[in-house]
């Protein structure tokens, strides 16, 4: 048996088409959804990703404004830009791209992104609202895992899901999204030993650690569905996940590819969240005017 | 073998003694820590609990102010009181006691408790900060579970912990406290079937559901430590937990009693949190004056 591939390309295209249709409607009536991306790094792979985001936004009719503060930006400088963007009625979504210059923690800065524009769910307030089940933008990567499983009709309610990785960007918010969907969730991390003890009994394993080849055939059972959230640049420049597809694909029931899996859906969801933020903003404007 | 009892009384007394010593020091220099408890119910067992909290605060030298709005209080009325208390420099801790009058959701109201006074970690902002690992008050019951295990020298790092119950008040915040302590956590709920599939493999099982007798000998392995967070009033008026002690105690390695377990520590921690909030407030005053 070979794992059924669970690609994200078509789902991403469908989400983008939905975004593009509404953005086009808005444009005809003079309204424009705007996403601001704050960047403060010279890291080439980050800049490559940001340029691809700008291009994707452009294709869907969302104005993606790159606020490039350079690799020598200071914390007060970044903070001021986030405050300004939070207050700017023309901007609907704000993304603070990591990495930041050495010594500057994203954790403090993301609190300056007003929750209504926090399209990547980075502000602890957004995460707290997600935890209690109130309206909030989920981190796009975490939501992409759930959307991709839904798209491939893999049920979550009553299933046992192991999440490997406890970051505030993926693992923890994913855990809460899965709880809202009635999955039983085990969250594993570097102190979970042996890791296979926790991943083998699970129906679905989602891995978001950032270590190539972490998950091998030993970690999964024959009927496991595996979602690879890792995006690592290998020595030869290829993009690879946290799963070793050579050993896992022959055993697992399903496997999301890297690239072309969760990552492609993530970008599409960032644009969808920006659209949702713009829609809410336009609705508020309409109420204020009437 | 019979489970080692894991009572909370001594730990609660130690915490209260620590609170009392500092409160007494402050009183000599004219400073007083104040906890405000907002109540809007005629429910007898709730009023009984609140009176016991006031008495416990009194004994430790914390001024616990009961703001009793009555069972007919409206949402705007409760909201206004929470706003006033959040702004009042004389008040250091705020607790919104549930249940509230029919149709009034605590979820909306707790957002009005400023995080620096949110001594029971009810505001989603507090929960979000807890999730990302920033300074915040944890819900006292969730913290009580961790403190009680620490007190009885039951290690958490690298252990597998099953949390039964996914409330925003206990289960979910407890999960994050355990993750910060390097436990691997499985969170179970009403859709986790059969429940024993998830609780039997765990080293420690914490139950916070509110259903007497939910956990029996079938749910645990012989070396399991069981923490009973349930507080249910039985038909005969006795306080009982979620664990059936008659079948579990002969099998488990350890078991927290109800009453006299987690609950007693919870009250002590609420007072400790109020003290911590007052300390931070006094420190801010000192900075403002100097």
């Amino acid at each position: 048996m070979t794992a059924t591939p669970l690609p994200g390309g078509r789902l991403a295209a469908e989400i983008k088409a939905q975004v593009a249709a509404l953005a086009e409607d808005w444009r005809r009536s003079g309204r424009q959804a705007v996403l601001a991306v704050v960047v403060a790094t010279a890291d080439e792979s980050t800049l490559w990703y940001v340029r691809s985001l700008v291009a994707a936004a452009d294709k869907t009719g969302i104005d993606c404004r790159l606020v490039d503060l350079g690799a020598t930006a200071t914390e007060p400088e970044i903070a001021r830009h986030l405050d300004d963007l939070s207050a700017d009625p023309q901007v609907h979504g704000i993304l603070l791209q990591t990495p930041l210059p050495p010594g500057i923690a994203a954790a403090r800065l993301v609190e300056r992104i007003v929750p209504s524009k926090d399209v990547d769910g980075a502000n602890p307030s957004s995460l707290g609202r997600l935890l209690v089940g109130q309206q909030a933008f989920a981190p796009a990567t975490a939501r992409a895992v759930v959307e991709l499983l839904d798209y491939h009709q893999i049920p979550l309610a009553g299933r046992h899901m192991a999440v490997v990785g406890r970051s505030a960007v993926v693992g923890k918010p994913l855990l809460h999204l899965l709880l809202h969907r009635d999955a039983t969730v085990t969250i594993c991390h570097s102190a979970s030993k042996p890791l296979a003890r926790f991943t083998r009994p699970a129906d679905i394993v989602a891995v978001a650690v950032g270590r190539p080849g972490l998950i091998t055939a030993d970690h999964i059972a024959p009927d496991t569905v595996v979602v690879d959230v890792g995006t690592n640049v290998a020595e030869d420049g290829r993009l690879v996940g946290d799963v070793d597809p050579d050993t896992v694909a022959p055993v697992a029931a399903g496997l999301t590819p890297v690239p072309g899996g969760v990552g492609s859906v993530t970008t599409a969801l960032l644009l969808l969240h920006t659209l949702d933020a713009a829609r809410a903003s336009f609705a508020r404007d309409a109420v204020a005017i009437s």
Side-chain angles (χ1 to χ4, degrees), chain A:
Chain A
M1 191 186 114
T2 302
T4 306
L6 305 169
R10 272 198 201 174
L11 170 58
E14 285 179 19
I15 296 169
K16 285 179 184 169
Q18 184 189 335
V19 171
L22 195 51
E24 177 59 27
D25 272 3
W26 284 347
R27 210 155 19 179
R28 283 204 210 99
S29 59
R31 289 174 300 180
Q32 173 68 54
V34 176
L35 170 65
V37 181
V38 176
V39 183
T41 184
D43 177 61
E44 251 320 307
S45 69
T46 304
L47 293 174
W48 180 89
Y49 167 72
V50 170
R51 280 190 296 265
S52 76
L53 179 59
V54 172
D58 203 54
K59 271 190 201 159
T60 56
I62 286 181
D63 179 8
C64 184
R65 295 185 190 166
L66 193 56
V67 182
D68 191 347
L69 305 178
T72 57
T74 64
E75 184 164 338
E77 211 177 326
I78 301 171
R80 188 169 48 77
H81 276 89
L82 292 174
D83 288 346
D84 290 349
L85 293 166
S86 284
D88 185 345
Q90 304 295 326
V91 171
H92 306 108
I94 303 171
L95 189 70
L96 175 61
Q97 184 64 44
T98 55
L100 296 172
I104 302 182
R108 286 188 302 265
L109 287 165
V110 289
E111 296 191 68
R112 295 175 175 268
I113 302 174
V114 64
S116 59
K117 300 184 182 183
D118 186 20
V119 290
D120 203 22
N123 189 329
S125 288
S126 302
L127 292 166
R129 295 179 64 85
L130 189 72
L131 184 152
V132 302
Q134 288 176 352
Q135 172 70 41
F137 290 113
T141 306
R143 183 175 170 191
V145 172
V146 174
E147 296 287 343
L148 193 54
L149 289 168
D150 280 351
Y151 183 76
H152 290 290
Q153 302 184 342
I154 294 158
L156 295 173
R159 309 293 294 285
H160 183 202
M161 185 121 185
V163 173
V164 185
R166 56 179 157 177
S167 76
V169 181
V170 190
K172 289 175 180 175
L174 174 57
L175 157 78
H176 289 290
L177 291 175
L178 295 169
L179 280 179
H180 294 320
R181 293 290 297 277
D182 281 340
T184 301
V185 186
T186 299
I187 185 156
C188 320
H189 43 75
S190 52
S192 304
K193 287 175 181 166
L195 181 57
R197 174 183 161 196
F198 305 105
T199 52
R200 281 189 67 91
D203 300 311
I204 306 167
V205 175
V207 196
V209 171
R211 200 184 319 157
L214 175 69
I215 300 297
T216 64
D218 293 343
H219 295 90
I220 56 159
D223 51 356
T224 312
V225 170
V226 181
V227 180
D228 191 350
V229 189
T231 47
N232 313 290
V233 179
E235 283 181 20
D236 61 4
R238 279 183 316 128
L239 198 65
V240 298
D242 291 346
V243 174
D244 174 22
D246 294 340
T247 70
V248 169
V251 180
L255 175 61
T256 68
V258 176
V262 173
S264 49
V265 181
T266 299
T267 303
L269 286 173
L270 269 179
L271 301 176
L272 181 64
H273 287 181
T274 303
L275 193 86
D276 287 342
R279 192 204 315 263
S281 166
F282 295 154
R284 281 192 300 271
D285 288 351
V287 169
I289 290 165
S290 67

